[in-house]
Amino acid sequence: MHKRVPRRQRLIEIGMDLFGNRSYEEISIDDIAAAADISKGLLYYYFPTKHDFYAAVIQHAAEQLLRETEPDPGLEPTERLRSSLRAYFSYVDRHATAYMALLRGGIGVDAQVAAIMDNVRQSYVQRVSENIMRGRPLSPRQRIAINGWIGFVEATSIAWLNQRCIDQEELCDLATAAFAMLLRGGSHEP
Amino acid sequence: MHKRVPRRQRLIEIGMDLFGNRSYEEISIDDIAAAADISKGLLYYYFPTKHDFYAAVIQHAAEQLLRETEPDPGLEPTERLRSSLRAYFSYVDRHATAYMALLRGGIGVDAQVAAIMDNVRQSYVQRVSENIMRGRPLSPRQRIAINGWIGFVEATSIAWLNQRCIDQEELCDLATAAFAMLLRGGSHEP
């Protein structure tokens, strides 16, 4: 039996490299075909437009991010959170351009791409609820606070990529502390 | 002397209404011309493309948001922050669709629109630094934490618009508490 990576999958991995280093606008269909060493015709067979290709790459990046940050059920909740955050910031570090593209725009970021990112955020709300809050029902305020905390992690990631002024472990401390404070703060309601 | 609102300005105000209720994709050049009661030719004179018009409307919205949330120097720092946040969430409430479009994508959100939003964020970092932190130099960790807090405020705004599960004053409490906690947390460094 052959164990070859299917061509569609291989094209997406090439796309991760390309969009990980240059923006949507900077990359042409010719660049993609050249990097994959296939004809434009064959590329169009798999992805009718550059945007279809981009959306598939973003979808792959989103799945990869979720997979790499999967909480480890063997750890206690605080360490489980810290370990996922460490994996998150490591992903941000290794795929900086793709991560920024995902969050910040570029021509390719339309409703379809925004929906992929919304789905990632909803997965994180779910995970936090199950793994860190141990499945206790969330109050409306806690639900808003968790959404806010995810925004906090994204915004610190972007600021960190732009400024690189603290190290990754300090960033991880900050996000872990923010979670404890915001969710403790979030439970002060009547 | 005439005191008429210049036509370009009036078109932008009409755009705020239009994009405040429907998305970029849903609005055509014909809709804009009809709402303004002018010919498409005249509209094109002011804004050569729908995207140019959209970018001008977003720029106007950004300036309006910054103006309405201007910190009041007569208040002490915590109340100054709370008062600006109240104005911010009030803006979010009144211009929900435009606010979501600004942050979440849609075809019109490209590099130009992302730059407008980046500029708003940088203005807020500056204001927080001057008005709330009283101009004391920020440590690298505090700078990252302030960026993160702005992300927190944006993400809670979006979650709030989608869920409307807490009232505006409670949202304001949450963001004020988050600021105090995150920036206190941010000063625990060596």
Side-chain angles (χ1 to χ4, degrees), chain B residues 32-50:
Chain B
I32 301 164
D37 198 18
I38 61 173
S39 68
K40 283 209 281 184
L42 189 52
L43 180 59
Y44 282 126
Y45 169 78
Y46 288 100
F47 303 101
T49 68
K50 183 170 91 160

mmCIF file of all heavy atoms in Angstrom, chain B residues 32-50:
data_model
loop_
_atom_site.group_PDB
_atom_site.id
_atom_site.type_symbol
_atom_site.label_atom_id
_atom_site.label_comp_id
_atom_site.label_asym_id
_atom_site.label_seq_id
_atom_site.Cartn_x
_atom_site.Cartn_y
_atom_site.Cartn_z
ATOM 1 N N ILE B 32 -26.633 53.338 -2.363
ATOM 2 C CA ILE B 32 -26.014 54.535 -1.779
ATOM 3 C C ILE B 32 -26.521 55.790 -2.496
ATOM 4 O O ILE B 32 -26.939 56.758 -1.862
ATOM 5 C CB ILE B 32 -24.464 54.454 -1.849
ATOM 6 C CG1 ILE B 32 -23.968 53.202 -1.093
ATOM 7 C CG2 ILE B 32 -23.829 55.714 -1.262
ATOM 8 C CD1 ILE B 32 -22.517 52.817 -1.412
ATOM 9 N N ALA B 33 -26.493 55.738 -3.831
ATOM 10 C CA ALA B 33 -26.958 56.890 -4.625
ATOM 11 C C ALA B 33 -28.431 57.185 -4.316
ATOM 12 O O ALA B 33 -28.818 58.351 -4.153
ATOM 13 C CB ALA B 33 -26.755 56.609 -6.116
ATOM 14 N N ALA B 34 -29.241 56.120 -4.193
ATOM 15 C CA ALA B 34 -30.666 56.308 -3.910
ATOM 16 C C ALA B 34 -30.869 56.931 -2.521
ATOM 17 O O ALA B 34 -31.657 57.860 -2.345
ATOM 18 C CB ALA B 34 -31.410 54.969 -4.007
ATOM 19 N N ALA B 35 -30.145 56.428 -1.534
ATOM 20 C CA ALA B 35 -30.284 56.951 -0.169
ATOM 21 C C ALA B 35 -29.865 58.417 -0.101
ATOM 22 O O ALA B 35 -30.415 59.205 0.677
ATOM 23 C CB ALA B 35 -29.455 56.111 0.804
ATOM 24 N N ALA B 36 -28.889 58.799 -0.914
ATOM 25 C CA ALA B 36 -28.393 60.184 -0.896
ATOM 26 C C ALA B 36 -29.168 61.073 -1.864
ATOM 27 O O ALA B 36 -28.966 62.287 -1.891
ATOM 28 C CB ALA B 36 -26.910 60.193 -1.261
ATOM 29 N N ASP B 37 -30.030 60.449 -2.671
ATOM 30 C CA ASP B 37 -30.794 61.173 -3.678
ATOM 31 C C ASP B 37 -29.891 61.947 -4.638
ATOM 32 O O ASP B 37 -30.138 63.123 -4.938
ATOM 33 C CB ASP B 37 -31.806 62.100 -2.975
ATOM 34 C CG ASP B 37 -32.917 62.532 -3.926
ATOM 35 O OD1 ASP B 37 -33.101 61.870 -4.964
ATOM 36 O OD2 ASP B 37 -33.579 63.555 -3.628
ATOM 37 N N ILE B 38 -28.835 61.289 -5.083
ATOM 38 C CA ILE B 38 -27.963 61.881 -6.108
ATOM 39 C C ILE B 38 -27.717 60.837 -7.197
ATOM 40 O O ILE B 38 -28.020 59.659 -7.019
ATOM 41 C CB ILE B 38 -26.587 62.339 -5.542
ATOM 42 C CG1 ILE B 38 -25.822 61.142 -4.948
ATOM 43 C CG2 ILE B 38 -26.762 63.453 -4.510
ATOM 44 C CD1 ILE B 38 -24.395 61.483 -4.537
ATOM 45 N N SER B 39 -27.142 61.294 -8.308
ATOM 46 C CA SER B 39 -26.841 60.364 -9.398
ATOM 47 C C SER B 39 -25.609 59.525 -9.038
ATOM 48 O O SER B 39 -24.793 59.945 -8.213
ATOM 49 C CB SER B 39 -26.550 61.139 -10.684
ATOM 50 O OG SER B 39 -25.322 61.848 -10.548
ATOM 51 N N LYS B 40 -25.503 58.356 -9.682
ATOM 52 C CA LYS B 40 -24.313 57.537 -9.470
ATOM 53 C C LYS B 40 -23.060 58.296 -9.926
ATOM 54 O O LYS B 40 -22.008 58.186 -9.310
ATOM 55 C CB LYS B 40 -24.429 56.212 -10.250
ATOM 56 C CG LYS B 40 -25.354 55.226 -9.582
ATOM 57 C CD LYS B 40 -24.947 53.792 -9.877
ATOM 58 C CE LYS B 40 -25.419 53.366 -11.267
ATOM 59 N NZ LYS B 40 -25.104 51.931 -11.500
ATOM 60 N N GLY B 41 -23.225 59.094 -11.012
ATOM 61 C CA GLY B 41 -22.083 59.857 -11.522
ATOM 62 C C GLY B 41 -21.517 60.800 -10.457
ATOM 63 O O GLY B 41 -20.304 60.892 -10.264
ATOM 64 N N LEU B 42 -22.434 61.469 -9.744
ATOM 65 C CA LEU B 42 -21.986 62.406 -8.714
ATOM 66 C C LEU B 42 -21.346 61.654 -7.538
ATOM 67 O O LEU B 42 -20.344 62.092 -6.970
ATOM 68 C CB LEU B 42 -23.170 63.256 -8.233
ATOM 69 C CG LEU B 42 -22.825 64.438 -7.312
ATOM 70 C CD1 LEU B 42 -21.741 65.330 -7.916
ATOM 71 C CD2 LEU B 42 -24.073 65.256 -6.991
ATOM 72 N N LEU B 43 -21.945 60.521 -7.203
ATOM 73 C CA LEU B 43 -21.358 59.693 -6.132
ATOM 74 C C LEU B 43 -19.927 59.289 -6.498
ATOM 75 O O LEU B 43 -19.007 59.398 -5.677
ATOM 76 C CB LEU B 43 -22.233 58.445 -5.902
ATOM 77 C CG LEU B 43 -21.765 57.478 -4.807
ATOM 78 C CD1 LEU B 43 -21.672 58.147 -3.446
ATOM 79 C CD2 LEU B 43 -22.694 56.272 -4.733
ATOM 80 N N TYR B 44 -19.749 58.857 -7.773
ATOM 81 C CA TYR B 44 -18.415 58.443 -8.220
ATOM 82 C C TYR B 44 -17.426 59.610 -8.203
ATOM 83 O O TYR B 44 -16.222 59.415 -8.063
ATOM 84 C CB TYR B 44 -18.472 57.836 -9.642
ATOM 85 C CG TYR B 44 -18.986 56.416 -9.664
ATOM 86 C CD1 TYR B 44 -20.064 56.053 -10.488
ATOM 87 C CD2 TYR B 44 -18.390 55.417 -8.892
ATOM 88 C CE1 TYR B 44 -20.534 54.743 -10.513
ATOM 89 C CE2 TYR B 44 -18.860 54.108 -8.916
ATOM 90 C CZ TYR B 44 -19.926 53.784 -9.726
ATOM 91 O OH TYR B 44 -20.382 52.485 -9.762
ATOM 92 N N TYR B 45 -17.954 60.820 -8.372
ATOM 93 C CA TYR B 45 -17.073 61.997 -8.314
ATOM 94 C C TYR B 45 -16.424 62.083 -6.929
ATOM 95 O O TYR B 45 -15.233 62.350 -6.797
ATOM 96 C CB TYR B 45 -17.870 63.268 -8.628
ATOM 97 C CG TYR B 45 -17.114 64.532 -8.335
ATOM 98 C CD1 TYR B 45 -16.136 65.013 -9.201
ATOM 99 C CD2 TYR B 45 -17.379 65.263 -7.164
ATOM 100 C CE1 TYR B 45 -15.433 66.169 -8.917
ATOM 101 C CE2 TYR B 45 -16.685 66.422 -6.880
ATOM 102 C CZ TYR B 45 -15.709 66.867 -7.756
ATOM 103 O OH TYR B 45 -15.007 68.015 -7.473
ATOM 104 N N TYR B 46 -17.212 61.842 -5.894
ATOM 105 C CA TYR B 46 -16.678 61.907 -4.525
ATOM 106 C C TYR B 46 -15.927 60.645 -4.124
ATOM 107 O O TYR B 46 -14.907 60.707 -3.448
ATOM 108 C CB TYR B 46 -17.809 62.172 -3.516
ATOM 109 C CG TYR B 46 -18.343 63.572 -3.595
ATOM 110 C CD1 TYR B 46 -19.523 63.863 -4.281
ATOM 111 C CD2 TYR B 46 -17.642 64.623 -2.988
ATOM 112 C CE1 TYR B 46 -19.992 65.153 -4.361
ATOM 113 C CE2 TYR B 46 -18.118 65.929 -3.068
ATOM 114 C CZ TYR B 46 -19.290 66.187 -3.759
ATOM 115 O OH TYR B 46 -19.749 67.471 -3.841
ATOM 116 N N PHE B 47 -16.470 59.487 -4.520
ATOM 117 C CA PHE B 47 -15.872 58.201 -4.132
ATOM 118 C C PHE B 47 -15.823 57.293 -5.360
ATOM 119 O O PHE B 47 -16.835 56.702 -5.735
ATOM 120 C CB PHE B 47 -16.703 57.541 -3.021
ATOM 121 C CG PHE B 47 -16.860 58.414 -1.805
ATOM 122 C CD1 PHE B 47 -18.035 59.126 -1.591
ATOM 123 C CD2 PHE B 47 -15.813 58.539 -0.885
ATOM 124 C CE1 PHE B 47 -18.161 59.953 -0.486
ATOM 125 C CE2 PHE B 47 -15.947 59.360 0.228
ATOM 126 C CZ PHE B 47 -17.124 60.066 0.426
ATOM 127 N N PRO B 48 -14.619 57.182 -5.971
ATOM 128 C CA PRO B 48 -14.506 56.420 -7.227
ATOM 129 C C PRO B 48 -14.987 54.968 -7.132
ATOM 130 O O PRO B 48 -15.442 54.420 -8.122
ATOM 131 C CB PRO B 48 -13.004 56.485 -7.539
ATOM 132 C CG PRO B 48 -12.513 57.712 -6.839
ATOM 133 C CD PRO B 48 -13.363 57.852 -5.609
ATOM 134 N N THR B 49 -14.901 54.336 -5.951
ATOM 135 C CA THR B 49 -15.361 52.943 -5.826
ATOM 136 C C THR B 49 -16.173 52.797 -4.540
ATOM 137 O O THR B 49 -16.089 53.633 -3.641
ATOM 138 C CB THR B 49 -14.184 51.942 -5.747
ATOM 139 O OG1 THR B 49 -13.496 52.151 -4.503
ATOM 140 C CG2 THR B 49 -13.209 52.105 -6.901
ATOM 141 N N LYS B 50 -16.933 51.724 -4.488
ATOM 142 C CA LYS B 50 -17.681 51.431 -3.254
ATOM 143 C C LYS B 50 -16.706 51.258 -2.084
ATOM 144 O O LYS B 50 -16.986 51.682 -0.962
ATOM 145 C CB LYS B 50 -18.517 50.146 -3.439
ATOM 146 C CG LYS B 50 -19.374 49.805 -2.218
ATOM 147 C CD LYS B 50 -20.375 48.684 -2.472
ATOM 148 C CE LYS B 50 -19.836 47.324 -2.142
ATOM 149 N NZ LYS B 50 -20.864 46.272 -1.931
#
